[in-house]
Amino acid sequence: MQQERGKRERILEAAQTVFARKGYYQAKIEEIAELAGVGKGTVYEYFVSKEELYKEMFKVILNRYTEYVMVEATPEMTTKEWIRHLLEMHLRYMLENRQHMPTNFGDLGGMDTEILGWMYDMRKRSVNRLVPVFQKGIDRGELKGMDPELGANLLIGMMRGVTLPLMVEGTYGEPSQVAEAMTEILFHGIAR
Amino acid sequence: MQQERGKRERILEAAQTVFARKGYYQAKIEEIAELAGVGKGTVYEYFVSKEELYKEMFKVILNRYTEYVMVEATPEMTTKEWIRHLLEMHLRYMLENRQHMPTNFGDLGGMDTEILGWMYDMRKRSVNRLVPVFQKGIDRGELKGMDPELGANLLIGMMRGVTLPLMVEGTYGEPSQVAEAMTEILFHGIAR
Amino acid sequence: MQQERGKRERILEAAQTVFARKGYYQAKIEEIAELAGVGKGTVYEYFVSKEELYKEMFKVILNRYTEYVMVEATPEMTTKEWIRHLLEMHLRYMLENRQHMPTNFGDLGGMDTEILGWMYDMRKRSVNRLVPVFQKGIDRGELKGMDPELGANLLIGMMRGVTLPLMVEGTYGEPSQVAEAMTEILFHGIAR
Amino acid sequence: MQQERGKRERILEAAQTVFARKGYYQAKIEEIAELAGVGKGTVYEYFVSKEELYKEMFKVILNRYTEYVMVEATPEMTTKEWIRHLLEMHLRYMLENRQHMPTNFGDLGGMDTEILGWMYDMRKRSVNRLVPVFQKGIDRGELKGMDPELGANLLIGMMRGVTLPLMVEGTYGEPSQVAEAMTEILFHGIAR
DNA sequence: TATGAATGAGCGTTCATTCAT
DNA sequence: CATGAATGAACGCTCATTCAT
């Protein structure tokens, strides 16, 4: 029983590594099983199918990410502080987890329609978590009047826009500085 | 007599549709051939392998996109005008080509490392085409002093950030209005 | 629990039959699998590839043959007795195994260069096993002074020369008599 | 018309090279066509199928070989002289035509039953051409009383037995000397 | 007659999933 | 619960052959 929990988690972790490294279709569940130190059949003891395993693993990552990123984010912060903090933590997380959450995740592509739809839903949740932040900022008078969803989508886009090269090439120096620069642009624009 | 000079093009077009609909791994050469109205073997007369076909098709899309988006973009425009125009054309293109260039493209994911690397290179080209625009804007005094590559990456990110929901859900109304809103935010920020 | 320890053997045996009947390139893995009473995939559980299966099967045959032929061959025999025995056993074996080791084996031909090289190596082993026999015969003064390798190659050639029609047409009567005639010719020549 | 003849022969010659180099199944008729300097379809203008081309080419080789080998073979020769001559010419031919008539020919194997049967017939013709030679030798009192077919088969076997390593490894020195040694063994045996 | 673009049957191999132990 | 041997649907790719020109 104790064992059981451990196994499920080991599979999930192995799935993370392998899916990240190979992508969904190239990942073989045998390899995941091996890396997890369990038999191939055991994977099916815990997860109905490859797809289910993928989704489950994705949720785990998302949760871990969310938790990590939201640490110390308090309601007292200004919207700017909050977003700056989000950006920095995001960059830190990505930098620290290059192994487990590389380019293959993050955005859809190459997958069939069904799983793709599911992943889009996941993405939407992120947006939905961000929308109230923008709304509150607007209400408080910190932000311009604007479509909060547009803001959220732009922010998420910016994050990904900078994350991809960051992970692939490892550039961009200190997360705190990049976060600062990004925040500045997002809040005050690029115009001189 | 190369018999039906359009064959290569028909295959490319079919590849577009099928790859877009199914993603790289789920797309079957046979289906592409059928849709193109040719025999399975014919595909291999024109393309060495599935992967090569994919890349070739991707280039075609990219070119078409670039051409479409850059129409009427003149060097006399201010950076702001130029980017606003880019955004609007981008949104128009995506809206018009939901069928052929949906969520599966645009970003990596689910593919194996080799083809993924190739696609990242493609993305980099886009960035590299944008960098000089930012640089010029800075030099002209239109933009703040900033890392032009960061700017390019953020812009690309924003574009994708808003494209995805646009294509999946079809929201956001008029491209010109959304482009306007995005430009405003990019240039003057979200801060009040 | 390796489930049915005979599975590998059954596949090997089926391979024997099918490869013999159809030749390397015409033999289909699926047919071998069927004949062995296993699924197509199972073949690949035990053998990496068609080529590997072929080689493995070939070794098995060769071993069985060698074992059969060498039974009761003792060092005390004279060279003549030894060779006469070899010839007789060879003929017997071929006659008994028409099903499994027909014309397709035994010599190269029709195969691509890689596997052909491997098979030539196999042949060489046979030669190498025969050379010392000739050498000993010469040393003992039973045979003329001669290149023992030439002798070995001639003997092998003679064996095949008579085996082929034997198997295809089934003629030549009693192995012991044919062996006797062959030995007589080999040792004392055809000249009157 | 003049042209026609030339084309057919060029195809035949190319077939020789390619079949020899690759074996029947690995040879691609496209490669043969290319080497012959004709279009792929043209091959089918002259030969019904790959198999027919193979057979036709085989006959050509056989004829050329027979012609070459039988040159200067006169009825006045003793059987021994005749066979010695045959052996030497055979070795010379094989040495000179390593390119065109290598290991892949010469003996069956790897091919499917139909073509195999055909090739066995070809072989039989060789035997049938040799049988009278033995018979005559016996009648003349030059050879022992023996089954002339057995003699013929043994001789053919010996020839192949020494040809294979000769072509693969290129050993065995001067054809005339090897022929001499072989004749000596065949006529007077290996016994001291 | 000559061509080579087009074709599709055919095959080796992979891998998610099942299930007997 | 755990396992891994067994399976077979699925697919990319090849190549002998056809046929319109």
Side-chain angles (χ1 to χ4, degrees):
Chain A
M1 235 164 245
Q2 196 63 30
Q3 184 63 0
E4 183 196 309
R5 266 281 86 153
K7 243 167 215 175
R8 191 186 144 93
E9 267 147 27
R10 278 195 343 257
I11 294 171
L12 241 12
E13 194 160 356
Q16 238 166 94
T17 307
V18 176
F19 278 132
R21 200 143 55 203
K22 305 280 188 72
Y24 181 74
Y25 289 103
Q26 293 299 315
K28 294 162 205 163
I29 76 123
E30 182 161 25
E31 193 183 346
I32 293 173
E34 258 170 37
L35 188 59
V38 302
K40 208 193 324 184
T42 308
V43 174
Y44 285 86
E45 209 60 48
Y46 292 96
F47 304 93
V48 198
S49 66
K50 190 186 186 182
E51 185 173 334
E52 223 51 49
L53 172 57
Y54 185 80
K55 290 179 179 174
E56 217 61 44
M57 169 226 64
F58 195 84
K59 278 188 203 158
V60 168
I61 289 190
L62 206 57
N63 288 337
R64 191 183 300 167
Y65 165 81
T66 309
E67 223 175 288
Y68 182 99
V69 152
M70 289 312 184
V71 158
E72 299 182 25
T74 62
E76 293 79 38
M77 287 173 162
T78 62
T79 306
K80 193 174 182 181
E81 282 168 347
W82 194 92
I83 285 181
R84 197 204 163 288
H85 182 255
L86 167 69
L87 287 170
E88 180 172 344
M89 294 313 274
H90 172 81
L91 292 168
R92 285 197 192 289
Y93 184 85
M94 289 302 167
L95 224 39
E96 282 171 19
N97 292 278
R98 270 214 247 185
Q99 284 305 317
H100 278 174
M101 204 186 170
T103 36
N104 299 38
F105 299 140
D107 236 295
L108 353 158
M111 334 208 72
D112 72 58
T113 326
E114 200 194 347
I115 202 169
L116 226 160
W118 182 86
M119 290 189 72
Y120 184 70
D121 284 351
M122 290 292 106
R123 189 204 134 102
K124 259 207 114 174
R125 288 201 202 174
S126 304
V127 177
N128 289 337
R129 228 174 288 122
L130 242 31
V131 167
V133 175
F134 278 82
Q135 190 57 60
K136 194 163 76 174
I138 297 167
D139 295 343
R140 281 177 176 175
E142 298 176 63
L143 304 185
K144 288 175 184 159
M146 55 180 290
D147 176 6
E149 203 175 311
L150 176 63
N153 275 315
L154 292 183
L155 176 54
I156 285 184
M158 286 172 68
M159 286 164 78
R160 271 206 56 71
V162 82
T163 302
L164 209 53
L166 175 77
M167 289 197 307
V168 176
E169 307 181 7
T171 44
Y172 282 119
E174 257 307 287
S176 67
Q177 286 171 27
V178 183
E180 178 61 33
M182 289 175 71
T183 310
E184 216 47 44
I185 287 177
L186 179 62
F187 275 77
H188 304 297
I190 59 176
R192 196 155 91 92
Chain B
M1 249 147 256
Q2 288 110 345
Q3 184 90 10
E4 298 223 40
R5 203 25 341 212
K7 216 153 263 189
R8 193 188 142 95
E9 274 69 29
R10 289 218 314 278
I11 294 171
L12 238 15
E13 194 161 356
Q16 235 166 95
T17 308
V18 176
F19 278 132
R21 199 142 57 203
K22 305 284 187 71
Y24 182 74
Y25 290 104
Q26 294 305 43
K28 293 161 209 160
I29 290 283
E30 188 160 23
E31 194 183 345
I32 293 174
E34 255 169 39
L35 188 59
V38 302
K40 204 189 339 176
T42 306
V43 174
Y44 287 88
E45 286 285 320
Y46 292 96
F47 305 92
V48 214
S49 65
K50 189 185 185 183
E51 186 174 334
E52 222 53 48
L53 171 58
Y54 185 79
K55 288 180 179 174
E56 215 62 43
M57 167 225 65
F58 195 84
K59 278 188 203 157
V60 168
I61 291 191
L62 206 57
N63 288 339
R64 191 183 301 166
Y65 166 79
T66 309
E67 225 176 288
Y68 182 99
V69 151
M70 289 312 184
V71 158
E72 299 184 23
T74 63
E76 293 79 38
M77 289 174 162
T78 63
T79 307
K80 193 173 182 182
E81 282 167 346
W82 194 92
I83 287 182
R84 199 204 159 288
H85 181 257
L86 167 69
L87 287 170
E88 181 173 343
M89 295 311 274
H90 172 81
L91 292 169
R92 283 194 194 289
Y93 185 85
M94 290 301 167
L95 223 39
E96 283 172 18
N97 293 278
R98 268 211 249 184
Q99 284 304 318
H100 278 174
M101 202 185 172
T103 35
N104 298 39
F105 300 138
D107 239 295
L108 352 160
M111 335 207 71
D112 73 58
T113 326
E114 198 195 348
I115 202 169
L116 223 157
W118 182 86
M119 291 190 70
Y120 184 68
D121 283 350
M122 290 293 106
R123 188 205 134 101
K124 262 207 109 173
R125 290 203 201 175
S126 305
V127 176
N128 289 337
R129 227 174 288 125
L130 244 30
V131 167
V133 175
F134 278 81
Q135 189 57 60
K136 193 162 78 174
I138 297 168
D139 294 344
R140 282 177 175 174
E142 299 177 61
L143 305 185
K144 288 174 184 159
M146 53 180 289
D147 175 6
E149 201 174 312
L150 177 63
N153 276 315
L154 291 184
L155 176 53
I156 285 183
M158 285 171 69
M159 286 163 80
R160 269 202 63 69
V162 81
T163 303
L164 212 52
L166 175 77
M167 289 197 307
V168 176
E169 307 181 7
T171 43
Y172 282 118
E174 257 306 288
S176 67
Q177 286 171 29
V178 183
E180 178 60 33
M182 288 175 70
T183 310
E184 218 46 46
I185 287 178
L186 179 62
F187 274 78
H188 305 297
I190 59 176
R192 196 158 89 94
Chain C
M1 247 147 260
Q2 288 111 343
Q3 184 90 8
E4 298 221 40
R5 207 20 348 212
K7 212 152 266 186
R8 192 187 142 95
E9 274 70 29
R10 289 218 313 278
I11 294 170
L12 239 13
E13 194 161 354
Q16 236 166 96
T17 308
V18 177
F19 278 132
R21 199 143 55 203
K22 305 283 188 72
Y24 182 75
Y25 289 104
Q26 294 306 43
K28 292 162 211 158
I29 290 283
E30 188 160 21
E31 192 183 347
I32 294 175
E34 255 169 39
L35 188 60
V38 303
K40 203 186 343 173
T42 306
V43 174
Y44 287 87
E45 287 285 321
Y46 292 97
F47 305 92
V48 214
S49 64
K50 190 185 185 183
E51 185 173 335
E52 222 52 47
L53 171 58
Y54 184 80
K55 289 180 179 174
E56 216 61 44
M57 168 225 64
F58 195 85
K59 279 188 204 157
V60 168
I61 289 191
L62 206 58
N63 288 338
R64 191 183 301 168
Y65 166 80
T66 309
E67 225 175 288
Y68 182 98
V69 151
M70 289 311 183
V71 159
E72 299 183 24
T74 62
E76 292 81 40
M77 289 175 162
T78 63
T79 306
K80 193 174 182 181
E81 283 168 346
W82 194 93
I83 286 181
R84 198 206 161 289
H85 182 256
L86 167 67
L87 288 170
E88 180 172 345
M89 295 311 273
H90 172 81
L91 292 168
R92 284 196 191 290
Y93 184 87
M94 290 302 167
L95 224 38
E96 283 172 18
N97 292 278
R98 268 213 248 184
Q99 283 307 316
H100 279 176
M101 202 184 173
T103 35
N104 298 40
F105 299 138
D107 239 296
L108 350 159
M111 335 208 70
D112 73 58
T113 326
E114 199 195 348
I115 204 170
L116 222 158
W118 182 84
M119 291 190 71
Y120 185 71
D121 284 350
M122 290 293 106
R123 188 205 133 102
K124 262 207 108 171
R125 289 202 202 175
S126 305
V127 177
N128 289 337
R129 226 174 287 124
L130 244 29
V131 167
V133 175
F134 277 82
Q135 189 58 61
K136 195 162 75 174
I138 297 168
D139 295 344
R140 280 178 176 173
E142 298 177 62
L143 304 185
K144 288 175 183 158
M146 54 181 288
D147 176 6
E149 202 175 313
L150 177 63
N153 275 315
L154 291 183
L155 176 52
I156 286 184
M158 286 172 68
M159 287 164 80
R160 268 202 63 69
V162 83
T163 302
L164 212 51
L166 176 76
M167 289 197 305
V168 177
E169 306 180 8
T171 44
Y172 282 119
E174 256 308 286
S176 67
Q177 287 171 27
V178 183
E180 178 60 32
M182 289 174 70
T183 310
E184 217 46 46
I185 288 177
L186 179 63
F187 274 78
H188 305 297
I190 60 176
R192 196 153 91 95
Chain D
M1 233 163 251
Q2 195 64 29
Q3 183 65 359
E4 183 194 310
R5 266 282 84 153
K7 243 165 214 174
R8 194 187 142 92
E9 265 149 28
R10 277 192 350 253
I11 294 170
L12 241 12
E13 192 160 356
Q16 237 167 94
T17 307
V18 176
F19 278 133
R21 199 143 56 203
K22 306 281 188 71
Y24 182 74
Y25 289 104
Q26 292 300 314
K28 293 162 206 164
I29 73 122
E30 182 161 25
E31 192 182 346
I32 293 174
E34 258 170 37
L35 189 59
V38 303
K40 209 190 325 181
T42 308
V43 174
Y44 285 86
E45 210 60 45
Y46 292 96
F47 305 93
V48 197
S49 66
K50 189 186 185 182
E51 186 174 332
E52 223 52 48
L53 171 59
Y54 185 80
K55 289 179 179 173
E56 218 61 42
M57 168 226 64
F58 195 84
K59 278 189 205 157
V60 169
I61 289 190
L62 206 57
N63 287 337
R64 190 182 302 167
Y65 165 80
T66 310
E67 224 174 289
Y68 181 99
V69 151
M70 288 312 184
V71 159
E72 300 183 23
T74 63
E76 293 79 40
M77 288 175 161
T78 63
T79 307
K80 193 174 182 182
E81 282 167 346
W82 195 92
I83 286 182
R84 199 206 161 288
H85 183 255
L86 167 68
L87 287 171
E88 181 173 344
M89 294 312 272
H90 172 81
L91 292 169
R92 284 198 192 288
Y93 185 85
M94 290 302 167
L95 224 39
E96 283 172 18
N97 294 278
R98 268 214 247 185
Q99 284 305 319
H100 280 175
M101 203 184 171
T103 36
N104 298 38
F105 299 140
D107 236 297
L108 355 158
M111 332 208 73
D112 71 58
T113 326
E114 199 194 347
I115 202 169
L116 226 159
W118 182 85
M119 290 187 73
Y120 183 70
D121 283 350
M122 290 293 106
R123 188 204 134 104
K124 259 205 113 175
R125 290 202 201 173
S126 305
V127 176
N128 288 338
R129 226 172 290 125
L130 243 29
V131 167
V133 175
F134 277 82
Q135 189 57 60
K136 193 163 78 177
I138 297 167
D139 294 346
R140 281 178 178 174
E142 299 177 63
L143 304 186
K144 287 174 184 158
M146 54 181 288
D147 176 6
E149 201 174 313
L150 177 63
N153 275 317
L154 291 184
L155 177 53
I156 286 184
M158 285 171 70
M159 287 165 79
R160 269 206 57 70
V162 83
T163 302
L164 208 54
L166 176 77
M167 289 197 307
V168 176
E169 305 182 9
T171 44
Y172 282 119
E174 258 307 288
S176 68
Q177 286 171 29
V178 183
E180 178 60 33
M182 288 173 71
T183 311
E184 218 45 46
I185 287 178
L186 179 62
F187 274 78
H188 305 295
I190 58 176
R192 196 156 91 91

